[in-house]
Amino acid sequence: MSEFLNEIGPLTATALAELGAAGDLAALEQVKGRWLGAQGRFTGLMKQLGRLPKEEKPAAGKAMNEAKAALEAALAGRRGELELLASLPREPTDFTLPGRRRVMGRLHPLTQAAEDIVRSFRRIGFVVADGPEVEDDYHCFDALATPADHPARDTQDTFYLDTAPPRLLRTHTSSVQIRVMEKQPPPVRIIVPGRVYRRDNADATHNPTFHQIEGLYVDRGVTVGDLKGTVEFVFKAVLGGDVRIRFRPHYFSYTEPSYEIDFSSAATRALGKEWLEIAGCGMVHPQVFENVGYDPEEWTGWAFGFGIERIAMIRHGIRDIRLFYENDMRFLRQF
Ligand code: DAH
């Protein structure tokens, strides 16, 4: 066997040992250069191949190819190992440490109440509508036949914006009744959850912003009986079966007749009251239909509005409305 052929084995073994011993990626690159680079020892051996006698070439070429493949495989293998090592944290990992617990979020009690009420109404064919919180006089009051001298229109109760034309923060979701009827012909069956604003000082039962749900049902031949049946169905669904509901005559400019709805249950008694007033409602006033271009001779309807906070307070026995806005986790975690 030629001297050349004898050299390949030991050289390859040395190269493989050096590759395996490289302690980091930089060292590995140096070993690679020393053997496989342009001036490398193995590359030098390749160059000699051409000068061998013809009969030695096939065996020598085959041996060189095998050696080269072995070197390249060893290089790639060691590189993989060193890259993995480099990506590991420097500090040892303690796999026995307890995991980090992530707290589950949950819905705010007001969101839960609103969603439950909306869900009940959807089951009887109502769809959700909404409208702007920044409103104008017309949609918040005039179109609802609230006269210009009504106390609700006083700056005592309403936040006015310094704009021209004047704008205000809606004091109730009833403005959305008008916006929806302006846009679509009857029949109408909508439910409107939303935020409203009033110039009240915050105390246990008032806050300058709170939430309401408005309902509006317009069709031919709608009666007060429909209103009572619907309201009872929903309040029983949301507040439990043991409830009693009564309608007390009242006045709203946009309904005739108008009622306040009182509500009684174990929950109201727990709050120290037999009856709690929870909503206003009535049969849509013919003037309101005129204002949106509905024919009051043909169409009838009812509407109601109530505060979501009030419902959530009854539901959970909460005595101070301000708790809803403080975002104290000790309070929120309970729902
Ligand atoms: N808008 C009234 C309020 O803010 C509630 C209300 C009463 C809404 C009668 C209605 C209604 O739709 O018909 O207190």
Side-chain angles (χ1 to χ4, degrees):
M1 192 174 285
S2 81
E3 213 175 299
F4 180 85
L5 220 44
N6 284 337
E7 255 185 88
I8 295 176
L11 274 176
T12 306
T14 312
L16 287 175
E18 281 188 25
L19 284 171
D24 56 33
L25 287 164
L28 186 70
E29 286 312 305
Q30 283 187 9
V31 178
K32 178 189 169 194
R34 218 155 44 236
W35 290 93
L36 295 166
Q39 309 298 322
R41 292 178 72 183
F42 197 80
T43 314
L45 214 55
M46 288 292 249
K47 286 177 189 152
Q48 290 175 33
L49 203 59
R51 296 196 292 272
L52 288 182
K54 205 176 165 200
E55 62 280 7
E56 284 185 23
K57 271 188 187 166
K62 184 162 177 274
M64 283 299 287
N65 281 340
E66 282 168 8
K68 185 160 190 231
L71 287 189
E72 276 168 356
L75 176 68
R78 186 62 185 152
R79 185 179 281 140
E81 285 170 15
L82 291 173
E83 277 171 356
L84 180 63
L85 267 175
S87 73
L88 290 178
R90 269 159 221 280
E91 296 294 316
T93 304
D94 181 354
F95 292 104
T96 68
L97 277 178
R100 236 166 269 166
R101 207 174 283 279
R102 293 191 192 274
V103 267
M104 267 299 262
R106 60 189 76 196
L107 295 178
H108 193 281
L110 292 178
T111 309
Q112 289 183 27
E115 287 194 352
D116 289 348
I117 294 161
V118 165
R119 195 176 305 118
S120 291
F121 275 102
R122 293 180 106 118
R123 276 168 48 199
I124 51 175
F126 283 71
V127 296
V128 174
D130 72 359
E133 289 175 24
V134 175
E135 258 298 0
D136 51 44
D137 266 356
Y138 178 76
H139 290 90
C140 204
F141 300 123
D142 297 316
L144 291 161
T146 307
D149 59 358
H150 192 281
R153 299 188 60 160
D154 203 303
T155 49
Q156 280 292 313
D157 296 308
T158 308
F159 289 110
Y160 284 91
L161 303 181
D162 197 6
T163 53
R167 294 263 187 275
L168 50 82
L169 298 180
R170 68 180 178 196
T171 56
H172 54 186
T173 42
S174 303
S175 52
V176 185
Q177 289 187 31
I178 303 299
R179 293 209 170 261
V180 168
M181 288 192 285
E182 281 174 344
K183 263 193 307 219
Q184 70 166 78
V188 177
R189 221 185 286 181
I190 54 158
I191 180 95
V192 184
R195 189 188 276 274
V196 302
Y197 303 84
R198 288 184 196 173
R199 282 189 60 176
D200 282 323
N201 291 322
D203 62 24
T205 54
H206 296 86
N207 199 64
T209 169
F210 59 101
H211 300 81
Q212 286 189 327
I213 290 199
E214 192 83 11
L216 174 68
Y217 179 37
V218 180
D219 208 331
R220 294 187 177 86
V222 175
T223 68
V224 175
D226 298 325
L227 170 58
K228 287 192 167 179
T230 308
V231 164
E232 265 188 45
F233 164 77
V234 172
F235 283 131
K236 285 192 170 161
V238 175
L239 290 168
D242 71 321
V243 309
R244 284 184 298 153
I245 286 164
R246 90 186 167 192
F247 282 58
R248 205 164 18 80
H250 198 74
Y251 174 80
F252 297 104
S253 62
Y254 31 97
T255 43
E256 177 57 34
S258 304
Y259 306 94
E260 266 189 343
I261 302 173
D262 291 341
F263 170 88
S264 166
S265 73
T268 64
R269 286 188 286 280
L271 285 171
K273 294 254 172 72
E274 183 61 41
W275 293 97
L276 270 179
E277 113 201 9
I278 49 168
C281 66
M283 301 302 291
V284 179
H285 198 291
Q287 183 62 52
V288 173
F289 281 150
E290 302 256 7
N291 292 344
V292 296
Y294 285 12
D295 180 358
E297 295 300 323
E298 185 177 357
W299 301 102
T300 45
W302 50 249
F304 66 80
F306 58 84
I308 298 174
E309 278 78 353
R310 187 38 92 77
I311 302 290
M313 287 169 87
I314 295 174
R315 225 179 175 186
H316 302 296
I318 297 166
R319 290 162 187 274
D320 193 323
I321 196 173
R322 291 167 293 192
L323 288 164
F324 290 122
Y325 316 112
E326 284 168 357
N327 285 331
D328 185 329
M329 286 302 291
R330 290 167 302 178
F331 171 73
L332 295 175
R333 254 200 296 266
Q334 300 174 70
F335 308 104

